[in-house]
Amino acid sequence: MQVEVTGTLAAEPEAVRAVLLDLEGFARWFPALDEWRVLSREPGTALVYGRQALPWPVSDRDYVVRYRWEDRPNGTFRLEAVGRPEEGPAPGPDAVRLQRLRSEWRIGPNVGGGTRASYRYEGESGPLPSWVSRLAWRSQTRAVLDGLADEVERRAALGR
C-alpha cells in the first residue's frame, strides 16, 4: 500500500523542520498515536517505537522505525523512517506489529511563500483487505499534514 499527501504550510521551512526534528513531540500532533518513545538518538538518526490506537474492530498497530534526516544543498529537508521490527521492545500483546513500512517527509520553500510539504507512506497496514487499508489511510494522511500545520502554528503562537 502507498499513500501520499502534499500541501503548503503558512510557515517558513525552518519552523516546519524544527517540528519534524522534535521527534519526542510527535505524539502531540501525529494522528492516532497512543504511545510514542524515542529509544535512542544520535546525530542524524533516531530509533523510535510507536503505537497507534485504531477504532474497533481493527487491532492497534505498533512499530519500531529508524529515522534519518538530511538537509539537501537545494534548500530542501528530508526525514525518512524505515521499519526495524527486530529492534526495540517486543510487540505489544494486543497490537499487530508492522513488519514492513517506510515513510518520508519532504519540505522546502514554496515559490509563493511558506513551505511546500509532502508526506508519503509505503508498507503494510496489517491483516486488513487492501481496499479497507487504502480508504483508511487516505482519510488519515491529510490529518497528518493538518496536524503538522497545527503544531507549527501552536509553536509560533508560543514564540518558539
Side-chain angles (χ1 to χ4, degrees):
M1 177 185 62
Q2 179 178 315
V3 291
E4 185 170 4
V5 65
T6 60
T8 302
L9 286 73
E12 293 303 311
E14 296 78 25
V16 177
R17 180 185 182 279
V19 170
L20 289 174
L21 283 179
D22 178 14
L23 295 174
E24 291 79 4
F26 264 46
R28 244 188 330 272
W29 61 270
F30 200 93
L33 278 181
D34 187 47
E35 185 177 352
W36 184 258
R37 288 184 280 150
V38 175
L39 303 172
S40 65
R41 190 176 188 135
E42 298 172 20
T45 186
L47 187 67
V48 175
Y49 169 82
R51 179 185 170 106
Q52 290 184 300
L54 301 176
W56 182 88
V58 179
S59 298
D60 291 354
R61 303 295 190 252
D62 78 349
Y63 49 88
V64 178
V65 292
R66 169 78 54 194
Y67 277 96
R68 296 187 192 286
W69 54 90
E70 65 178 330
D71 291 297
R72 295 191 164 170
N74 65 358
T76 62
F77 172 77
R78 179 175 164 266
L79 175 66
E80 176 188 50
V82 176
R84 303 295 299 197
E86 71 284 356
E87 296 185 45
D94 55 347
V96 173
R97 171 64 49 98
L98 297 179
Q99 299 294 313
R100 188 183 62 80
L101 66 128
R102 180 182 175 280
S103 68
E104 181 179 77
W105 283 98
R106 287 181 185 259
I107 65 166
N110 189 51
V111 174
T115 300
R116 179 181 26 81
S118 72
Y119 175 76
R120 178 181 183 144
Y121 175 86
E122 303 170 32
E124 64 181 328
S125 59
L128 292 173
S130 60
W131 69 270
V132 172
S133 297
R134 278 193 303 277
L135 183 63
W137 263 102
R138 282 194 182 114
S139 67
Q140 285 300 306
T141 306
R142 184 69 213 179
V144 171
L145 193 57
D146 290 344
L148 174 61
D150 290 348
E151 180 64 9
V152 171
E153 214 173 277
R154 184 189 75 79
R155 290 179 184 212
L158 294 173
R160 292 170 50 196

